[in-house]
Amino acid sequence: MAAADPMSSSDAPEDGPKETSSVSQNITDADAFKILLEMKIKKRQKKPTLPSTVTELDTEDGSKVYVVGTAHFSDSSKKDVVKTIQDVQPDVVVVELCQYRVSMLKMDEKTLLKEAKEINLEKLQQAIKQNGVMSGLMQMLLLKVSAHITEQLGMAPGGEFREAFKEASKVPFCKFHLGDRPIPVTFKRAIAALSFWQKVKLAWGLCFLSDPISKDDVEKCKQKDLLEQMMAEMIGEFPDLHRTIVSERDIYLTYMLKQAAKQIELPRASESEPRKYIPAVVVGVVGMGHVPGIEKNWNSDLNIQEIMSVPPPSASNKIFKFVIKATVFGLMGYGCYRIGQRTVQFILSMPAAQNYLQKLTEIRSHH
């Protein structure tokens, strides 16, 4: 919440009421917090009329969680998020993002649209450097799916998260939390769950995705998120992959929402004053495909340590990694072949190349 610029002493009227300054000086930080919190609570609608995409959940200590199920490429979802946050005036907003994807909150729609469409070698190298060969390739393949939808609709993903970020900043004392499992962990666990041939088959399906998508298709998917529905269709024969990409993240998102919904401690005027707590109000913004899983796990005791561990690479991972490297070097060799013998001879005749070859020859003669 932006604070107004204080009026300078020279601009203040000389004959103004002097009691105001003395009264304001007597208000403690705790009192000011209580006043603003009361204003915020009064602004909350006791029985808000929320969109049909909102699921209301309660905690044992009386906190309320409003989960907005969204389609990641939907204007309607953005409106649902804005209305929900404005009506319930939450203490915390939790979104289905992790620290590796938080940059999309600060980019404008035009930049994101351009970024989503441009999947190049530099991005692939960055993904591999950050997540390893296998997880990096999986990330780029999933980005290709997202880019395909982006290109078909002319709409950048994650608009509902950006709207949530903007609206949360307008609500007094509202915190903004990232609620999704780190994407490198998800990809590494997903890769480890597949056999060698399953990896090849999945990669093939993602590489040759080309089905047209309309805006009507997106809005129909308000009942099930479009991106996750497309992924579910492609990975339907891989239950282990569905478990790591969807079911485990359902558990993680549920855990983070429950953590955000812990009661809020009110500020105390002094250490001797007893601690007081009030129930929290939380808004969660997640893909529609995660809502059933969150409802299913809501009343369970959750432990996320197991789903945060990354298993060591299997033999099939090593084989697939070797195949990828062999393919890359093969393509490079084919490229040199296509350049032609004369071009190669020209490169080898250059002084820099001659010096390098001479050094190699000297090194070999010394050994």
Side-chain angles (χ1 to χ4, degrees):
M1 182 175 64
D5 292 333
M7 185 183 289
S8 63
S9 58
S10 59
D11 294 331
E14 294 180 1
D15 298 330
K18 306 211 176 189
E19 292 82 9
T20 303
S21 60
S22 61
V23 170
S24 62
Q25 288 174 359
N26 292 331
I27 296 177
T28 64
D29 290 341
D31 290 334
F33 180 88
K34 287 178 181 177
I35 291 169
L36 289 171
L37 186 61
E38 285 174 5
M39 291 172 62
K40 174 180 173 178
I41 292 172
K42 284 180 181 178
K43 195 175 177 181
R44 281 177 183 161
Q45 295 187 20
K46 292 183 179 178
K47 293 183 178 179
T49 305
L50 298 174
S52 60
T53 53
V54 177
T55 300
E56 185 177 338
L57 300 168
D58 298 304
T59 65
E60 293 178 356
D61 54 23
S63 295
K64 286 193 174 292
V65 178
Y66 299 92
V67 182
V68 188
T70 67
H72 295 316
F73 291 83
S74 168
D75 286 328
S76 180
S77 284
K78 292 191 279 189
K79 293 175 184 176
D80 291 352
V81 169
V82 170
K83 176 173 174 52
T84 303
I85 293 175
Q86 288 178 350
D87 286 358
V88 307
Q89 294 289 296
D91 302 300
V92 186
V93 171
V94 180
V95 295
E96 185 199 328
L97 288 176
C98 68
Q99 65 267 38
Y100 294 93
R101 293 177 288 158
V102 73
S103 59
M104 73 160 55
L105 295 175
K106 300 178 182 179
M107 291 185 187
D108 58 79
E109 196 84 4
K110 187 177 179 181
T111 305
L112 275 166
L113 199 60
K114 184 180 177 184
E115 284 285 317
K117 288 182 179 180
E118 294 179 355
I119 299 179
N120 50 35
L121 183 60
E122 185 180 347
K123 285 186 179 180
L124 176 60
Q125 289 174 333
Q126 185 178 355
I128 289 174
K129 184 178 180 182
Q130 185 181 56
N131 304 315
V133 175
M134 296 305 308
S135 298
L137 287 171
M138 174 67 83
Q139 182 177 348
M140 292 309 295
L141 289 172
L142 291 177
L143 278 176
K144 185 181 183 299
V145 177
S146 180
H148 170 63
I149 303 173
T150 298
E151 190 174 4
Q152 292 280 320
L153 301 182
M155 180 188 298
E160 74 273 32
F161 301 139
R162 290 186 290 281
E163 290 298 326
F165 184 65
K166 291 176 189 174
E167 289 302 316
S169 67
K170 299 175 186 177
V171 179
F173 312 116
C174 182
K175 297 177 181 178
F176 190 85
H177 290 184
L178 304 175
D180 203 0
R181 182 172 65 178
I183 201 165
V185 176
T186 297
F187 285 144
K188 286 174 182 177
R189 286 183 64 84
I191 289 296
L194 297 178
S195 68
F196 171 75
W197 290 113
Q198 284 176 327
K199 292 182 181 75
V200 172
K201 195 170 184 178
L202 177 64
W204 182 269
L206 290 170
C207 285
F208 292 95
L209 178 72
S210 59
D211 294 337
I213 303 159
S214 68
K215 287 195 176 184
D216 288 338
D217 291 332
V218 177
E219 293 309 320
K220 286 176 186 175
C221 287
K222 289 275 282 188
Q223 300 307 312
K224 189 172 184 182
D225 180 68
L226 176 64
L227 182 58
E228 287 169 12
Q229 179 171 310
M230 292 179 67
M231 287 303 302
E233 289 174 359
M234 284 186 288
I235 67 178
E237 58 189 288
F238 310 134
D240 289 333
L241 192 60
H242 184 274
R243 172 178 55 80
T244 53
I245 291 181
V246 180
S247 302
E248 289 184 358
R249 288 172 59 224
D250 290 346
I251 294 171
Y252 192 92
L253 287 164
T254 307
Y255 178 85
M256 296 302 289
L257 286 168
K258 292 177 83 169
Q259 289 295 307
K262 289 184 176 179
Q263 286 191 324
I264 299 169
E265 182 181 354
L266 296 175
R268 295 179 293 165
S270 65
E271 290 295 326
S272 59
E273 187 178 333
R275 297 178 184 273
K276 293 181 181 178
Y277 298 87
I278 60 171
V281 173
V282 177
V283 169
V285 182
V286 304
M288 180 61 74
H290 289 292
V291 176
I294 291 171
E295 287 187 276
K296 177 185 174 183
N297 292 303
W298 188 251
N299 294 316
S300 304
D301 291 328
L302 303 175
N303 183 356
I304 62 169
Q305 288 184 354
E306 183 182 344
I307 62 171
M308 287 297 290
S309 63
V310 178
S314 63
S316 65
N317 278 350
K318 293 175 181 177
I319 294 169
F320 193 60
K321 187 175 179 180
F322 172 78
V323 170
I324 291 295
K325 286 185 175 180
T327 303
V328 171
F329 284 117
L331 289 172
M332 288 175 64
Y334 179 70
C336 290
Y337 170 77
R338 288 297 302 270
I339 288 174
Q341 188 177 0
R342 290 183 181 178
T343 308
V344 173
Q345 287 177 347
F346 171 73
I347 292 171
L348 292 175
S349 67
M350 294 175 67
Q354 289 290 325
N355 290 335
Y356 183 70
L357 290 171
Q358 186 177 353
K359 286 181 181 179
L360 284 176
T361 305
E362 290 175 357
I363 291 169
R364 288 186 66 182
S365 63
H366 284 308
H367 288 282

